[in-house]
Amino acid sequence: MSAVAAWLAGEISPEVALGRLLLDGLTPAEIMRAVPPGSALARLAGRQQANLHAVARMLTRARVHHAGAQDPQAIARMFDRAVAEAPDASVAAYTLNDSDVAARATAEIVDWLVAGGLAVGPVLDLGSGTGRVAAALAPHVDHVLGLDVSAGMVAEAKRRYGTNLRLRFEVTGGQAPDHLPAGSFGLVLAVDSFPYLIQSGLADAHMAVSARLLKPGGALVILNLAYDGSETDCIDRWSGMFGLSVELRGARPFLLWDGRAFVMRREWPAQPAPERPGRAAG
Ligand SMILES: C[S@@+](CC[C@H](N)C(=O)[O-])C[C@H]1O[C@@H](n2cnc3c(N)ncnc32)[C@H](O)[C@@H]1O
């Protein structure tokens, strides 16, 4: 279904519709011709003309694409270029590089985590980007460690939030962080980063390490698993392989963002059954 049809059907927000049209390669002028004249979508596109140009430029210059296998260093270079062009849109085109839209989208993610009792620290934010989610989550948890393969993203996160003592951001080589101590995180969070782990063939390794890093009862929250929607059966495989129970499987809990939510929990170790008092010999 086209982005405009999906918006008309009430399936996606106008911001996501414009983000999709940009990702489909339409120019701002083509977008104005594609949206229904006089509609709320046309009015938003009109108000956001300057930002639509900025996002279109970023997508072209950073050569952003979501298809095919890529090695993590190629992905890192793509995000380095994107964040240098348009920081808010570099992590999410649907923000239209508008900091107010980005703040609203981030708030709905964090509000959902808090309401669901998932904001339990310390938190590992896998693929933390500009640090927007880590920073919004920080007041609710004791500490967030953000890891990202893109040095440009980590530099932007430190520029924005470097003075926040609850946050730490580090560049990785893209591999799963198996140097971190087992059982040390209440939440491992991956917002829109798993599709890249899948593209680079690193998803299984990241799952294995994430499951080990969780405290018993801790949650692994993946928001968007794969952009083509074809990977949901990974969840059952990972659940069996790594002792995680599945609590949510691809729900769409947000109004602004159309991200799909997957929640898995590290099970508590089985408790030995209490000994029953023996029967007195008679
Ligand atoms: C779409 S952005 C989302 C960023 C952030 N989670 C957010 O929602 O604002 C995806 C991020 O994942 C990072 N990434 C991709 N592959 C990675 C890997 N193998 N290890 C760590 N980060 C990775 C990218 O550099 C990028 O910053």
Side-chain angles (χ1 to χ4, degrees):
M1 188 187 284
S2 77
V4 173
W7 174 73
L8 284 169
E11 289 184 9
I12 55 175
S13 68
E15 291 84 358
V16 166
L18 294 180
R20 280 198 199 170
L21 292 168
L22 288 161
L23 284 164
D24 286 345
L26 273 69
T27 64
E30 288 167 339
I31 289 176
M32 289 313 289
R33 287 195 290 278
V35 297
S39 65
L41 188 56
R43 288 197 297 280
L44 179 66
R47 281 198 307 278
Q48 292 282 5
Q49 273 298 292
N51 283 328
L52 296 187
H53 279 282
V55 181
R57 212 168 29 243
M58 175 207 79
L59 294 171
T60 308
R61 293 194 181 157
R63 302 188 287 287
V64 171
H65 56 95
H66 287 155
Q70 293 186 69
D71 75 80
Q73 293 316 315
I75 290 170
R77 287 192 295 274
M78 178 179 86
F79 279 104
D80 285 349
R81 293 190 295 267
V83 71
E85 284 288 334
D88 284 318
S90 69
V91 290
Y94 63 83
T95 67
L96 310 176
N97 207 41
D98 177 327
S99 54
D100 290 340
V101 178
R104 271 195 289 131
T106 307
E108 71 176 358
I109 295 172
V110 171
D111 288 352
W112 174 78
L113 289 169
V114 171
L118 295 162
V120 177
V123 176
L124 173 61
D125 185 1
L126 267 180
S128 45
T130 57
R132 61 167 183 136
V133 179
L137 200 49
H140 303 280
V141 295
D142 42 358
H143 184 76
V144 185
L145 170 62
L147 301 180
D148 204 289
V149 73
S150 155
M153 284 291 185
V154 170
E156 178 66 14
K158 287 183 175 172
R159 191 188 67 73
R160 291 181 179 205
Y161 310 114
T163 56
N164 186 331
L165 296 177
R166 291 174 184 237
L167 298 173
R168 203 166 93 233
F169 297 102
E170 290 177 8
V171 184
T172 73
Q175 310 304 320
D178 55 6
H179 60 288
L180 296 171
S184 53
F185 292 96
L187 168 65
V188 175
L189 178 64
V191 183
D192 239 353
S193 52
F194 245 79
Y196 301 97
L197 302 183
I198 287 179
Q199 275 182 4
S200 51
L202 294 169
D204 278 17
H206 274 272
M207 276 303 301
V209 169
S210 297
R212 194 177 57 74
L213 294 180
L214 283 174
K215 298 177 183 183
L220 169 61
V221 174
I222 299 175
L223 300 181
N224 273 346
L225 180 57
Y227 288 132
D228 62 6
S230 64
E231 308 287 344
T232 45
D233 43 334
C234 293
I235 290 290
D236 291 317
R237 189 165 54 82
W238 289 330
S239 156
M241 280 165 81
F242 306 121
L244 297 165
S245 57
V246 182
E247 288 186 2
L248 205 57
R249 188 190 292 272
R252 275 189 45 187
F254 310 117
L255 286 176
L256 198 163
W257 185 34
D258 61 339
R260 293 199 176 275
F262 299 83
V263 176
M264 306 176 83
R265 206 174 278 281
R266 180 170 166 200
E267 288 156 13
W268 291 93
Q271 298 292 321
E275 268 182 38
R276 296 174 55 180
R279 258 208 291 157

